[in-house]
Amino acid sequence: MNEKRPSLGLPSLYSISVQVMYACTLLLCYLTGQLLGVDGGGDCQLMVKSISGNVYQAGDVVIGGLFPVHMEASHPEMEFKRKKVNDSCKIFNQRAYRWLQTMIFAVQEINSNPGLLPNLSLGYLAADTCLEESTTLVAAMTMVTGQDVSLADTDCGSAPTVPVIIGDARSSGSIVVADTLGVFDIPMVSYFASCVCLSDSWKYPQFFRTMPSDAEEAQAMAKLLLLLGWTWVGLVSADDDFGRFGSQMLMEALRGTEVCVAYHEVIPKALLQEVAHQNITDKQWIANDAWVTYGIGKSLYADVSQLRITYNVYKGVYAIAHALHDMLACQPGKGPFLNGQCPDVRRLQPAQIHNYLRRVNFTTPLGERIYFDQNGDPPASYDIINWHVAEGTIQFVHVGHFVSYQGSSGQFHIDMDRVVWGGGNRHMVPVSVCSSPCSPGTRKAVQKGRPVCCFDCLPCAEGEISNEIGSLECVRCPERFWSNSNHTVCVAQQVDFLSYNDSMGMILSIISVAGATLTAATSSTFLYYRHTPFVRANNSEVSFMLLLSLKLCFLCALAFIGQPAVLSCMLRHTLFGISFVTCISCLLSRTVMVLVAFRSTLPGKNLMRYVGPTQQRLGICICTLVQGLICMLWLTLAPPQPAERAIQENQRPKIILECAMGSVMAFSLVLGYIGLLACLCLFLAFLARKLPDNFNEAKLITFSMLIFCAVWVAFVPAYISSPGKYSVAVEIFAILASSYGLLLCIFAPKCYIILLRPEKNNKKHLMTRYFNQRAYRWLQTMIFAVQEINSNPGLLPNLSLGYLAADTCLEESTTLVAAMTMVTGQDVSLADTDCGSAPTVPVIIGDARSSGSIVVADTLGVFDIPMVSYFASCVCLSDSWKYPLFFRTMPSDAEEAQAMAKLLRLLGWTWVGLVSADDDFGIGKSLYADVSQLRITYNVYKAVYAIAHALHDMLACQPRKGPFLNGQCPDVRRLQPAQIHHYLRRVNFTTPLGERIYFDQNGDPPASYDIINWHVAEGTIQFVHVGHFVSYQGSSGQFHIDMDRVVWGGGNRHMVPVSVCSSPCSPGTRKAVQKGRPVCCFDCLPCAGGEISNQIGSLECVRCPERFWSNSNHTVCVAQQVDFLSYNDSMGMILSIISVAGATLTAATSSTFLFYRHTPFVRANNSEVSFMLLLSLKLCFLCALAFIGQPAVLSCMLRHTLFGISFVTCISCLLSRTVVVLVAFRSTLPGKNLMLYVGPIQQRLGICICTLVQGLICMLWLTLAPPQPAERAIQENQRPKIILECAMGSVVAFSLVLGYIGLLACLCLLLAFLARKLPDNFNEAKLITFSMLIFCAVWVAFVPAYISSPGKYSVAVEIFAILASSYGLLLCIFAPKCYIILLRPEKNNKKHLMTR
């Protein structure tokens, strides 16, 4: 059977007249009794009659019931000549009859339950309404006035016999009855009236219902669409009031969601019969129960499990029963009425049951919770029914339900496995979208002229990403980041430089190290053969300097590889320039020497005095110093610095790390100076190319310089044209190529002769003979010492000392022959010695050289003949097992090295150069012209005295107490070598100069050195004794230096010079040993961010703990800065003052309007909306304060909630004012009466609805994904900072809040713009237009500023937008009005406000 749904249309004129007539008639007796105080015992009696189709059962409390058992009423009598007779209605309604039976069943079930209504029976009086408003009203009035024959014994004027009514089924009937009975506080509980209008508790305060409102149904439908992801739907509604209003409510529910309506068609219900006839099953339909069951006939009600409305009747009866139960439970004195009275259930007043119905809250036997909200509406509860079509029949299968209790947004429970989708599909939820969601890497672009859910998915531009499905905008990647190929993730831009991991960098590094290794091998070869004539003839000092500079040339290429840093950029061209200049200076010196050496062979030429070793060293130093000065100026004025340069490669940016020159002129000067020296060297070598073969090194230099110049000429264009790291590779290649050219051209031929042609490496053409004045002095010293000893009777009494000295000619063979001649007596001076006797010479002083001493000691050691050397310092001679008879007065080289090392440590010199002479003797004659410096001479003197003291000890030997067998003493006259060796081992005496002399177990003396200082004055050198060093056995040695007498380098007398490779690293830095250099050469690298070192010379930096960071000096870990917009911050303080000032100004405006509220101007401006607008503006100003301060859970949740609701309330007030202005003007036209729709009630309702929508959005936001306090680390000035902020939780929710505000603002702007040309009496539209323009401009500018602002500045931007828009609204709307009220009171009258 077709069932009519509630209609929202107005009743006909006839129906209204009938209602009024019956109402007046039926109430006449009741009102007369109430006014005259007539009780039931008077003459006034009720006119009883029978209600058509009524059902009655007596009880202590009788409830009424209105049911449309029939669906068509008889036509009324229009002549009014006789009493109205009840006519029967037509068309029996089986469904409504079931509802009637349900009420009867529920009453019987309640009466049979003694625990619910003890000692109280429930009765009922049900009437047939015939689905007519007039019949419904008559039946209701008959019940409550007691006119029904079933109630005929009720006294007139008493309380209504039926205090509450169940019904009506239709909204229109319920409106009529509620309007009438509401005057008498008689409540009614409808089971099927769903009109939204009945939720107006102000208009229908006595109305309750167990059927949810149509608005709840629309909300549930909208939520179901969102749940299933159907964003593109068609809307079909019936061509009646219910269809039109229902579709409008559904559209309102879908507003602000992602669901779009593709079309909206109004069709007759008969069309659905055609749909069913055509078997259109490939579409998915969602409909309410009226449409779902339309035209299906009896089949729906044959299944008693689908009794939703029947169940509503059941719940209505139980709601009344529970209200009566609560009445019975009332304790006297604690009741809800005057003086704590409880209601009398036997004489029940309607207002009393209304009070208890309002508070009812129970659970039905089926487990459903029932209560009524402030509007009398129940919780929204719907069954979800699915059509299962099989073999031409339709089964209505219950697949789920929806429940929405107060305070919740509702919840679906659906068994998806039981659902049959359109087309018979059971496995996959159909998709209904206009456009598929945009995948990550794309963004939405709304199609012009189409709904917002119809969009194109445009790929993000280069450098932009989107990592969410359905992104509205692509986000720009941060600096130094770029989008990946899918535009879903920002990846770090490729940073390119010539690194060691790069294949090209690796190859160049290997070539560089190989060149340095080859140079080191050449140096080792020259060092190993340094005593050969060929090496010595090639000026070995300059050769080693050239090899050292070449090694630096190879190694400086490594400084160009790796990530550029400040130190490496400064070292690159400095090392390169100085190394190459030193190298070419050495070649230039060699070239000049070759030329001069040839010219000096000509008669009358003596040029060699200008190119001696000193002059060569001086020339090399001067040339290198010039380059060093250029580099120093470069590093001081405009040093090279690490730089970044962005280039595009394959449409992707790449960051090139390089060393910016700083000064191109300085770089050109460095290269130009190298080129100048190279060209000069090439020119001089070219002049010497035809010299004799003895001087053919010039040819090698010429060829090497040709290669050098060719490489660097080709370098310039290649360097300029090469991009990025390839320019660095070109420079390294030029360095290595020129370095290899110099190494191979200069040293390859020499190594060939040294290693492969040793027969050419001899002294034949290099030896010269000369007299050694220094050694001659040593001889004279021995003679002097012997004579001095012989003249001293106390040392060797009765014993004279002789000597036999021989010239060794500085050759090992000559030395050995001389020594053997002495000890064997072969010398002519010893010819009288018997053969076979003891050696005439039992001890030898010598030799001067370690090599000669080794040869002699090896030979004479076999015969136990001791020797005392005065100049042999080789460490090898300290081996007492190999040379047990060797003694010396010259300390070992090891002792000298130790003493030098201790002196360097004493003076703090950690970076020194080592220079050795190119011969065995050093400086030459000039050193020994000053006889005060006779250290070696003194060693000869000590050696003679050591032998004399050994002989003295022999003479002092007492018989039978000697050291030999049976205590024998030695015979000094026939001395055996072993005997003097024994006494030499134990000698211990002090020289006449006060120096203690003895020999240790290795035959070495105490280490004793004079410290001599050169004093240079007027071209002469004085050797000044400034101290000495002594190290006796068992001590580490001690220096005695008179610092005041020392003249340091450069003539300085006051300050010890500093000589360190690298100064000690200060706190905040760490040591980084320079690659390929000694450990005392290191760079002091500043600690990285977040690392510290608090000691001098730290090897490593220590990582700061979490949430700590290093200070600017990297010496202390300090807590990381926590940043948020606080009240102590100047920006936060200013914004707070502006916010409070705005709220104060708004309060002042409110006070002004309140004080002048009775004036015409204020009253004409709708003072109620004005005060509401001012209140919301004050909240707008004050909500900005919620954004300031440290984010907390509550403040984060309140920020955008307060902001969104207060701004929506504000704009809703303006929208209401704008609509009033428009309607006020339109209502002046003939036939227009639009002001009925914009009264105060409608304005309040509109403002509340608009605000409620925003509140719902905020509630969903706070429920599903609320904003939370979060921390975010950022880098600011290369220091991390912790940003405390409120994470949105849901960007979609935030966008909805802003979008909804923007929607209302645009709508208000549009309406105000339409009203801008209205007469002056309506010029408030102009003010609203201007305020909305400011508002929209502020918030349009807010979006990019908010996105691009970092940290707390994004919060400040949002606060600024809030305050700017709030000030704009306040000043634009209220400033002109306050001006008139306060300054132009003559205009504050009715004259300018009246309309004609």
Side-chain angles (χ1 to χ4, degrees):
M1 179 183 292
N2 181 23
E3 183 174 336
K4 294 178 70 178
R5 293 290 290 159
S7 172
L8 301 183
L10 296 175
S12 63
L13 181 63
Y14 168 74
S15 299
I16 294 174
S17 62
V18 170
Q19 293 172 27
V20 174
M21 178 183 69
Y22 280 111
C24 293
T25 303
L26 294 174
L27 288 175
L28 180 61
C29 178
Y30 178 73
L31 294 175
T32 304
Q34 291 291 322
L35 292 172
L36 299 177
V38 180
D39 57 14
D43 295 334
C44 179
Q45 296 292 328
L46 287 173
M47 295 171 55
V48 298
K49 65 176 182 177
S50 176
I51 305 174
S52 175
N54 68 338
V55 179
Y56 174 74
Q57 177 179 320
D60 296 326
V61 177
V62 178
I63 61 175
L66 301 175
F67 301 97
V69 179
H70 292 84
M71 300 178 64
E72 184 177 337
S74 60
H75 295 292
E77 178 63 47
M78 301 298 295
E79 295 180 357
F80 301 102
K81 295 180 179 180
R82 57 184 177 180
K83 183 178 180 181
K84 186 178 184 302
V85 180
N86 291 334
D87 296 324
S88 62
C89 300
K90 303 174 182 178
I91 307 178
F92 177 67
N93 185 350
Q94 183 179 358
R95 190 183 189 195
Y97 182 69
R98 186 187 306 120
W99 302 341
L100 171 62
Q101 294 296 326
T102 300
M103 187 183 85
I104 296 172
F105 167 76
V107 169
Q108 293 173 353
E109 186 179 55
I110 291 167
N111 288 334
S112 64
N113 183 3
L116 185 58
L117 295 178
N119 303 320
L120 184 72
S121 64
L122 202 62
Y124 56 82
L125 173 61
D128 184 6
T129 64
C130 301
L131 214 64
E132 280 286 340
E133 287 79 4
S134 58
T135 310
T136 302
L137 181 60
V138 169
M141 294 301 298
T142 303
M143 291 178 184
V144 300
T145 57
Q147 279 191 303
D148 190 88
V149 293
S150 304
L151 308 171
D153 57 345
T154 304
D155 295 336
C156 179
S158 64
T161 306
V162 178
V164 59
I165 293 177
I166 300 286
D168 182 30
R170 293 198 306 163
S171 297
S172 57
S174 297
I175 291 171
V176 171
V177 175
D179 264 338
T180 305
L181 299 187
V183 179
F184 310 106
D185 294 333
I186 299 174
M188 61 186 296
V189 183
S190 176
Y191 50 87
F192 204 12
S194 60
C195 179
V196 180
C197 58
L198 287 167
S199 294
D200 188 349
S201 59
W202 181 83
K203 193 172 183 180
Y204 307 107
Q206 313 298 329
F207 181 77
F208 301 87
R209 54 181 163 191
T210 56
M211 176 74 174
S213 163
D214 289 335
E216 295 289 344
E217 187 174 41
Q219 289 289 339
M221 280 189 174
K223 291 173 183 174
L224 181 61
L225 292 175
L226 290 172
L227 176 67
L228 297 174
W230 294 342
T231 59
W232 186 243
V233 297
L235 181 57
V236 178
S237 61
D239 192 14
D240 54 20
D241 289 343
F242 176 74
R244 284 186 289 272
F245 282 103
S247 61
Q248 182 179 354
M249 284 185 289
L250 182 58
M251 294 284 279
E252 286 292 332
L254 294 177
R255 183 175 299 169
T257 68
E258 297 179 356
V259 180
C260 299
V261 177
Y263 57 85
H264 178 199
E265 297 294 338
V266 178
I267 59 174
K269 288 189 177 181
L271 180 60
L272 287 183
Q273 293 178 337
E274 185 63 23
V275 169
H277 178 71
Q278 296 292 337
N279 193 24
I280 300 176
T281 59
D282 59 340
K283 302 293 182 185
Q284 189 67 45
W285 295 76
I286 295 180
N288 57 21
D289 56 349
W291 277 53
V292 167
T293 59
Y294 181 79
I296 306 303
K298 188 177 179 181
S299 62
L300 171 64
Y301 305 101
D303 185 353
V304 294
S305 64
Q306 314 298 331
L307 303 177
R308 168 57 61 182
I309 309 305
T310 304
Y311 184 45
N312 288 346
V313 177
Y314 183 81
K315 290 188 290 185
V317 177
Y318 261 87
I320 296 171
H322 276 274
L324 294 173
H325 174 79
D326 293 340
M327 289 182 180
L328 293 173
C330 178
Q331 299 179 11
K334 296 182 180 180
F337 306 113
L338 186 64
N339 298 325
Q341 292 181 356
C342 291
D344 183 3
V345 182
R346 306 295 177 177
R347 294 184 62 82
L348 196 61
Q349 298 298 319
Q352 295 172 336
I353 195 167
H354 167 262
N355 180 278
Y356 278 90
L357 270 176
R358 179 71 64 189
R359 303 180 185 183
V360 77
N361 194 328
F362 67 97
T363 302
T364 68
L366 296 180
E368 184 178 353
R369 183 184 169 200
I370 300 298
Y371 61 87
F372 299 108
D373 63 11
Q374 64 273 20
N375 298 319
D377 291 331
S381 177
Y382 300 99
D383 288 333
I384 302 174
I385 308 299
N386 184 226
W387 283 16
H388 286 195
V389 181
E391 299 178 358
T393 62
I394 298 176
Q395 293 181 352
F396 296 88
V397 179
H398 182 276
V399 296
H401 63 276
F402 171 81
V403 178
S404 174
Y405 290 109
Q406 191 171 13
S408 69
S409 58
Q411 190 174 5
F412 282 96
H413 300 276
I414 304 176
D415 185 359
M416 292 294 185
D417 295 333
R418 299 186 64 192
V419 177
V420 177
W421 306 103
N425 175 30
R426 281 180 174 268
H427 305 291
M428 187 179 296
V429 178
V431 177
S432 180
V433 294
C434 180
S435 302
S436 298
C438 292
S439 61
T442 61
R443 66 175 178 86
K444 288 183 179 181
V446 178
Q447 298 173 359
K448 191 173 182 180
R450 304 197 67 187
V452 292
C453 52
C454 296
F455 48 82
D456 297 320
C457 294
L458 303 182
C460 292
E462 293 296 330
E464 295 182 347
I465 65 161
S466 66
N467 52 11
E468 295 180 350
I469 295 176
S471 294
L472 296 175
E473 293 293 337
C474 294
V475 180
R476 194 73 183 171
C477 285
E479 189 178 358
R480 298 177 65 88
F481 282 80
W482 199 253
S483 54
N484 63 348
S485 57
N486 297 327
H487 296 277
T488 56
V489 177
C490 285
V491 296
Q493 292 182 12
Q494 183 182 353
V495 178
D496 198 22
F497 57 90
L498 189 62
S499 68
Y500 291 102
N501 298 326
D502 192 357
S503 57
M504 183 165 51
M506 198 178 300
I507 292 171
L508 292 173
S509 301
I510 293 171
I511 295 173
S512 173
V513 173
T517 305
L518 189 58
T519 307
T522 305
S523 302
S524 301
T525 302
F526 269 61
L527 184 63
Y528 186 78
Y529 292 97
R530 66 188 181 279
H531 300 300
T532 62
F534 189 82
V535 174
R536 296 176 67 184
N538 272 280
N539 195 345
S540 58
E541 179 181 354
V542 178
S543 296
F544 282 117
M545 193 177 296
L546 176 58
L547 286 168
L548 177 62
S549 60
L550 271 175
K551 187 184 294 185
L552 291 176
C553 290
F554 280 113
L555 294 178
C556 77
L558 299 178
F560 288 81
I561 305 174
Q563 183 170 350
V566 175
L567 186 60
S568 65
C569 286
M570 295 175 70
L571 284 178
R572 283 184 179 183
H573 295 100
T574 307
L575 291 176
F576 152 68
I578 294 176
S579 302
F580 268 93
V581 162
T582 306
C583 182
I584 297 172
S585 300
C586 293
L587 291 177
L588 185 60
S589 171
R590 298 285 287 272
T591 307
V592 172
M593 182 179 171
V594 169
L595 277 173
V596 173
F598 178 72
R599 299 298 179 188
S600 65
T601 61
L602 300 178
K605 297 290 185 179
N606 189 19
L607 302 178
M608 284 300 291
R609 65 177 182 272
Y610 300 113
V611 289
T614 304
Q615 287 78 4
Q616 291 184 52
R617 287 192 291 268
L618 184 62
I620 293 170
C621 290
I622 291 174
C623 291
T624 306
L625 187 63
V626 173
Q627 184 74 297
L629 183 61
I630 295 173
C631 292
M632 188 180 300
L633 290 173
W634 185 5
L635 297 181
T636 303
L637 300 178
Q641 294 290 337
E644 296 181 357
R645 182 164 54 87
I647 64 170
Q648 289 286 335
E649 187 176 277
N650 298 328
Q651 295 184 345
R652 296 186 66 81
K654 179 188 289 187
I655 297 174
I656 301 296
L657 299 184
E658 59 187 4
C659 287
M661 286 299 175
S663 171
V664 178
M665 180 181 294
F667 180 55
S668 304
L669 283 175
V670 169
L671 286 184
Y673 184 62
I674 295 174
L676 176 65
L677 293 181
C679 291
L680 180 60
C681 187
L682 175 62
F683 175 70
L684 295 178
F686 181 77
L687 294 178
R689 71 192 184 286
K690 293 184 179 181
L691 296 181
D693 287 344
N694 287 344
F695 304 95
N696 64 0
E697 189 171 12
K699 297 178 181 179
L700 304 179
I701 296 174
T702 303
F703 189 62
S704 65
M705 285 296 101
L706 281 173
I707 295 175
F708 185 89
C709 293
V711 168
W712 287 100
V713 167
F715 158 76
V716 176
Y719 180 81
I720 294 173
S721 61
S722 298
K725 64 182 179 182
Y726 298 102
S727 62
V728 181
V730 165
E731 191 166 0
I732 296 174
F733 177 79
I735 292 171
L736 296 178
S738 54
S739 300
Y740 270 106
L742 294 174
L743 178 65
L744 297 177
C745 290
I746 303 298
F747 291 97
K750 297 179 181 180
C751 290
Y752 171 76
I753 292 175
I754 293 172
L755 298 175
L756 302 179
R757 300 296 298 273
E759 67 276 7
K760 291 187 177 183
N761 190 359
N762 54 56
K763 298 181 180 180
K764 183 176 181 179
H765 301 287
L766 302 173
M767 288 293 292
T768 60
R769 300 184 66 88
Y770 61 90
F771 174 70
N772 189 345
Q773 183 179 1
R774 190 184 191 198
Y776 181 72
R777 184 188 305 122
W778 302 339
L779 171 61
Q780 293 296 323
T781 300
M782 186 181 83
I783 297 171
F784 167 76
V786 170
Q787 293 174 350
E788 187 179 52
I789 291 168
N790 288 334
S791 64
N792 183 3
L795 185 56
L796 293 178
N798 303 318
L799 185 70
S800 65
L801 204 59
Y803 55 84
L804 173 60
D807 185 3
T808 63
C809 300
L810 215 61
E811 281 289 338
E812 286 79 5
S813 58
T814 310
T815 304
L816 182 58
V817 170
M820 292 303 294
T821 302
M822 290 177 183
V823 299
T824 57
Q826 286 186 309
D827 190 89
V828 293
S829 304
L830 305 172
D832 58 345
T833 303
D834 297 332
C835 181
S837 64
T840 306
V841 179
V843 61
I844 294 175
I845 293 179
D847 178 34
R849 294 197 307 161
S850 296
S851 57
S853 299
I854 291 172
V855 171
V856 175
D858 265 336
T859 305
L860 299 186
V862 180
F863 308 104
D864 292 334
I865 298 174
M867 61 184 296
V868 183
S869 176
Y870 52 88
F871 204 11
S873 59
C874 179
V875 180
C876 59
L877 289 167
S878 295
D879 188 350
S880 60
W881 182 82
K882 193 172 183 180
Y883 308 107
L885 302 168
F886 180 79
F887 299 87
R888 54 183 164 189
T889 55
M890 175 74 175
S892 163
D893 288 336
E895 294 290 343
E896 188 176 38
Q898 288 291 336
M900 282 189 172
K902 290 173 183 176
L903 180 61
L904 292 174
R905 288 197 293 271
L906 176 66
L907 298 174
W909 296 343
T910 60
W911 183 242
V912 295
L914 182 59
V915 180
S916 60
D918 195 16
D919 53 30
D920 292 334
F921 304 107
I923 301 176
K925 185 177 179 182
S926 63
L927 174 62
Y928 305 99
D930 187 350
V931 294
S932 64
Q933 314 300 328
L934 303 177
R935 168 57 62 182
I936 308 305
T937 305
Y938 184 45
N939 288 344
V940 177
Y941 182 81
K942 291 188 292 184
V944 177
Y945 263 88
I947 296 171
H949 276 275
L951 294 173
H952 174 78
D953 293 340
M954 287 181 183
L955 292 174
C957 179
Q958 297 178 12
R960 291 189 297 275
K961 292 183 180 181
F964 305 114
L965 185 63
N966 299 322
Q968 293 180 359
C969 291
D971 182 2
V972 181
R973 305 296 176 179
R974 294 184 63 85
L975 195 59
Q976 297 297 319
Q979 294 172 339
I980 195 159
H981 168 260
H982 176 83
Y983 278 92
L984 272 175
R985 180 71 63 187
R986 300 183 180 184
V987 77
N988 195 327
F989 66 98
T990 301
T991 68
L993 297 179
E995 184 177 352
R996 182 184 170 200
I997 299 298
Y998 62 88
F999 299 106
D1000 63 11
Q1001 66 274 15
N1002 298 318
D1004 291 332
S1008 176
Y1009 301 98
D1010 288 333
I1011 301 174
I1012 308 300
N1013 184 228
W1014 284 16
H1015 287 196
V1016 181
E1018 298 179 358
T1020 62
I1021 298 177
Q1022 295 180 355
F1023 297 89
V1024 180
H1025 183 276
V1026 296
H1028 63 274
F1029 171 80
V1030 179
S1031 175
Y1032 292 108
Q1033 192 171 12
S1035 69
S1036 60
Q1038 188 173 6
F1039 282 97
H1040 300 275
I1041 304 175
D1042 184 0
M1043 291 292 185
D1044 295 333
R1045 300 186 64 193
V1046 178
V1047 177
W1048 305 103
N1052 174 30
R1053 284 179 175 268
H1054 305 290
M1055 185 179 295
V1056 179
V1058 177
S1059 180
V1060 293
C1061 182
S1062 302
S1063 299
C1065 293
S1066 60
T1069 61
R1070 66 175 178 86
K1071 287 183 179 180
V1073 178
Q1074 297 173 359
K1075 190 172 182 181
R1077 305 194 70 187
V1079 293
C1080 55
C1081 294
F1082 49 82
D1083 298 322
C1084 293
L1085 302 183
C1087 292
E1091 295 182 348
I1092 66 164
S1093 68
N1094 51 14
Q1095 296 178 350
I1096 295 176
S1098 295
L1099 296 176
E1100 294 294 336
C1101 295
V1102 181
R1103 195 70 178 169
C1104 285
E1106 188 178 1
R1107 297 180 68 88
F1108 281 79
W1109 199 253
S1110 54
N1111 63 347
S1112 57
N1113 297 325
H1114 296 276
T1115 55
V1116 178
C1117 286
V1118 295
Q1120 291 183 12
Q1121 182 181 355
V1122 178
D1123 197 22
F1124 59 91
L1125 190 62
S1126 68
Y1127 291 101
N1128 297 326
D1129 191 357
S1130 58
M1131 182 164 54
M1133 197 177 301
I1134 293 171
L1135 292 173
S1136 303
I1137 293 171
I1138 296 174
S1139 173
V1140 173
T1144 305
L1145 188 60
T1146 308
T1149 306
S1150 303
S1151 301
T1152 302
F1153 268 60
L1154 183 66
F1155 185 79
Y1156 292 96
R1157 63 186 180 278
H1158 299 300
T1159 62
F1161 190 82
V1162 175
R1163 296 178 65 186
N1165 273 280
N1166 195 343
S1167 59
E1168 180 181 353
V1169 177
S1170 295
F1171 283 118
M1172 193 178 298
L1173 176 58
L1174 285 168
L1175 177 61
S1176 60
L1177 270 176
K1178 186 183 294 183
L1179 291 176
C1180 290
F1181 279 113
L1182 294 178
C1183 77
L1185 298 177
F1187 289 80
I1188 305 174
Q1190 183 170 349
V1193 175
L1194 184 61
S1195 65
C1196 287
M1197 296 176 69
L1198 283 179
R1199 284 185 179 183
H1200 295 99
T1201 306
L1202 293 176
F1203 152 67
I1205 293 176
S1206 55
F1207 265 92
V1208 162
T1209 306
C1210 181
I1211 298 174
S1212 301
C1213 293
L1214 291 177
L1215 184 61
S1216 171
R1217 297 283 288 272
T1218 308
V1219 171
V1220 169
V1221 170
L1222 274 174
V1223 172
F1225 179 72
R1226 299 299 179 188
S1227 64
T1228 60
L1229 300 178
K1232 298 289 184 177
N1233 191 18
L1234 302 179
M1235 287 301 291
L1236 295 174
Y1237 303 104
V1238 291
I1241 297 174
Q1242 287 80 359
Q1243 292 183 50
R1244 286 193 295 268
L1245 183 62
I1247 294 170
C1248 291
I1249 291 174
C1250 291
T1251 307
L1252 186 64
V1253 172
Q1254 185 73 298
L1256 182 62
I1257 294 173
C1258 294
M1259 187 182 300
L1260 289 174
W1261 185 3
L1262 298 181
T1263 303
L1264 301 178
Q1268 294 290 335
E1271 294 184 358
R1272 181 165 56 88
I1274 66 169
Q1275 288 285 336
E1276 186 175 276
N1277 297 326
Q1278 297 183 345
R1279 295 183 63 82
K1281 178 187 289 187
I1282 298 175
I1283 300 297
L1284 299 185
E1285 58 185 6
C1286 288
M1288 285 297 177
S1290 171
V1291 178
V1292 173
F1294 180 55
S1295 304
L1296 284 176
V1297 169
L1298 285 184
Y1300 184 61
I1301 294 174
L1303 176 66
L1304 293 182
C1306 293
L1307 180 61
C1308 186
L1309 175 62
L1310 176 64
L1311 295 178
F1313 181 78
L1314 295 176
R1316 71 192 185 283
K1317 294 184 178 180
L1318 296 180
D1320 285 345
N1321 288 344
F1322 302 95
N1323 65 357
E1324 189 172 12
K1326 298 179 182 178
L1327 304 179
I1328 296 175
T1329 303
F1330 189 60
S1331 65
M1332 284 296 102
L1333 281 174
I1334 295 175
F1335 185 89
C1336 293
V1338 168
W1339 287 100
V1340 167
F1342 158 77
V1343 176
Y1346 180 80
I1347 294 173
S1348 61
S1349 298
K1352 66 181 180 182
Y1353 298 102
S1354 61
V1355 181
V1357 165
E1358 190 166 2
I1359 296 175
F1360 177 79
I1362 292 172
L1363 295 178
S1365 53
S1366 300
Y1367 270 104
L1369 295 174
L1370 178 64
L1371 296 177
C1372 290
I1373 302 297
F1374 290 99
K1377 298 177 181 178
C1378 290
Y1379 172 75
I1380 292 175
I1381 293 172
L1382 299 175
L1383 302 179
R1384 299 295 297 276
E1386 68 275 6
K1387 290 189 176 183
N1388 191 358
N1389 52 52
K1390 295 183 180 180
K1391 182 177 181 180
H1392 300 284
L1393 301 173
M1394 295 293 291
T1395 57
R1396 296 185 179 184

